[in-house]
Amino acid sequence: MKAITVIPGRPGQVRVSDLDEPAPGPDDLLVEGRLLGICGTDTDIVEGDDYGWPPPGRERLVIGHESLGTVIQAPPGTRFAPGDLVAGMVRRPDPVPCEPCGHGEPDFCRNGLYTERGIKELDGYGSQRWVVDTQYAIKLDPGLGDCGVLLEPASVLAKAWEQSERIFSRATWRPRIALVTGAGPIGLLAALMGVQRGLEVHVLDLHDQGPRRRLVTDLGATFHVGELGDLDVVPDVVMECTGHGPLVFGLAERVAPDSVICLLGIMPATHPAEARLDEINKQMVLKNTVLFGSVNASRRNFEQAADALTKADLGWLQRMITRRIPMSDFVDGLHKHPDDVKVVVDLQV
């Protein structure tokens, strides 16, 4: 069986390895890998200095956390059957467990002892066949086809929207205008879910390249190019998908009263940036602004994401997947081409 393996933090050590066939346990699905999505986390694992951890006692990690596969074998008496289209969840609870992990919310793990498929101490889904415990498998509408590979990133947005809505429940009013910063895959899925909620959605990006503008406008949202200062929009809710620190500080001063800003992006530290922190603090206090970060997702959010993808226009989702590569070209997939939106690996080529 072929699998994409890496030594975290060593770019020249990515290879397609021959591994033993997986042996499913009594509660496991045996899955034929179909597609693997590539994201910035994978780039950080391969090229970063301090991110990504192989299983204990091993040097190499099977990479990949954005999965899609077809069930080959399922335990009897479960809701799964051979032929089902499935994706696997990423995070597993810590062994202690902390209170959130003990209640099915490992995305809120408090002691950092969680593990993650393809990221932290557990092999990922970048192989021709993989196993997953049924409690961490999500059955997808077969009509989604290859677009089911978008489930994991969509789950991150499902959680972000859910948490934002919980915060808005502190008052009687509800948001009307949403701003999404960054028009990559995460930003586009954020815009999709904002439109599905009936919001007036605006997407801001520094560049106008490839199909991103058309993808935004076909949702019924508005695409903007430039800096935050060029934008004549006062949002009630923001999905910040770039991780650019100065932009975060700028948003805190630009939002409407009682607004919510959800931080989803991470960017490596670059150069120091000046910020008028006292003034920003003043504005956030006087305007009841909530600024919070969100990472990963629970099973509930994966199921919400599956529902959102099923309700979306299939042709629109298909256009998000702009490049397919074989396993041997995984490294090339880490580097975006000008027209790229979502790059996926065909695990059967």
Side-chain angles (χ1 to χ4, degrees):
M1 178 189 75
K2 303 292 185 182
I4 306 166
T5 68
V6 306
I7 300 178
R10 293 173 59 181
Q13 296 298 317
V14 178
R15 71 185 185 207
V16 178
S17 302
D18 289 309
L19 301 182
D20 293 337
E21 291 287 337
D27 298 319
D28 289 340
L29 301 177
L30 176 62
V31 179
E32 181 177 57
R34 184 163 167 171
L35 292 177
L36 180 75
I38 296 179
C39 79
T41 298
D42 300 309
T43 303
D44 290 341
I45 292 170
V46 172
E47 300 182 350
D49 295 327
D50 59 357
Y51 200 71
W53 301 265
R58 294 237 313 265
E59 183 181 42
R60 304 194 73 86
L61 168 74
V62 177
I63 202 169
H65 59 282
E66 298 184 6
S67 62
L68 180 68
T70 305
V71 174
I72 301 172
Q73 177 183 320
T78 66
R79 62 186 181 281
F80 298 97
D84 285 346
L85 191 67
V86 295
M89 295 173 59
V90 180
R91 188 171 288 193
R92 303 293 182 267
D94 68 73
V96 175
C98 67
E99 186 173 359
C101 285
H103 288 83
E105 296 179 332
D107 51 316
F108 285 101
C109 181
R110 293 180 57 82
N111 60 26
L113 298 179
Y114 62 85
T115 54
E116 292 177 318
R117 295 286 298 256
I119 301 173
K120 185 174 185 280
E121 301 177 347
L122 290 176
D123 280 335
Y125 299 107
S127 57
Q128 291 179 313
R129 281 165 295 283
W130 40 268
V131 297
V132 61
D133 190 302
T134 55
Q135 66 178 313
Y136 299 118
I138 306 296
K139 185 189 293 189
L140 296 166
D141 186 324
L144 277 174
D146 288 350
C147 295
V149 76
L150 300 172
L151 180 68
E152 193 281 332
S155 74
V156 173
L157 275 309
K159 176 184 176 182
W161 278 109
E162 178 194 70
Q163 296 299 313
S164 297
E165 288 165 346
R166 288 186 179 186
I167 296 169
F168 277 116
S169 69
R170 64 187 175 153
T172 54
W173 76 284
R174 290 296 175 264
R176 184 178 66 85
I177 300 175
L179 172 64
V180 176
T181 51
I186 292 293
L188 289 169
L189 290 169
L192 168 68
M193 294 185 191
V195 170
Q196 287 180 336
R197 284 162 169 78
L199 299 174
E200 176 188 317
V201 177
H202 298 262
V203 179
L204 175 66
D205 200 276
L206 287 175
H207 307 288
D208 186 4
Q209 59 187 31
R212 298 182 182 193
R213 176 186 288 271
R214 183 65 183 272
L215 284 166
V216 169
T217 57
D218 284 353
L219 283 174
T222 304
F223 187 77
H224 305 265
V225 179
E227 303 283 350
L228 182 62
D230 303 325
L231 190 66
D232 187 22
V233 173
V234 181
D236 304 313
V237 57
V238 179
M239 295 289 156
E240 204 301 293
C241 306
T242 71
H244 185 51
L247 176 59
V248 172
F249 287 124
L251 287 168
E253 296 188 276
R254 290 291 303 272
V255 292
D258 311 322
S259 61
V260 173
I261 304 171
C262 178
L263 307 183
L264 294 156
I266 298 176
M267 182 178 288
T270 51
H271 303 292
E274 292 186 4
R276 301 177 303 120
L277 296 180
D278 289 342
E279 179 61 25
I280 293 169
N281 176 78
K282 175 183 175 182
Q283 291 298 320
M284 291 185 67
V285 170
L286 295 179
K287 295 164 78 172
N288 288 309
T289 303
V290 173
L291 176 69
F292 77 102
S294 182
V295 68
N296 208 269
S298 69
R299 181 178 187 89
R300 178 181 67 254
N301 304 132
F302 273 85
E303 292 170 344
Q304 292 165 348
D307 184 59
L309 292 179
T310 300
K311 291 177 179 176
D313 178 77
L314 182 62
W316 187 89
L317 294 175
Q318 290 170 336
R319 287 158 51 205
M320 277 192 63
I321 301 174
T322 49
R323 186 156 55 107
R324 294 168 177 259
I325 58 175
M327 298 172 78
S328 58
D329 287 349
F330 179 79
V331 173
D332 181 59
L334 298 174
H335 306 288
K336 288 296 184 71
H337 294 182
D339 290 342
D340 280 344
V341 176
K342 191 65 183 176
V343 180
V344 300
V345 180
D346 190 329
L347 297 172
Q348 297 304 315
V349 173

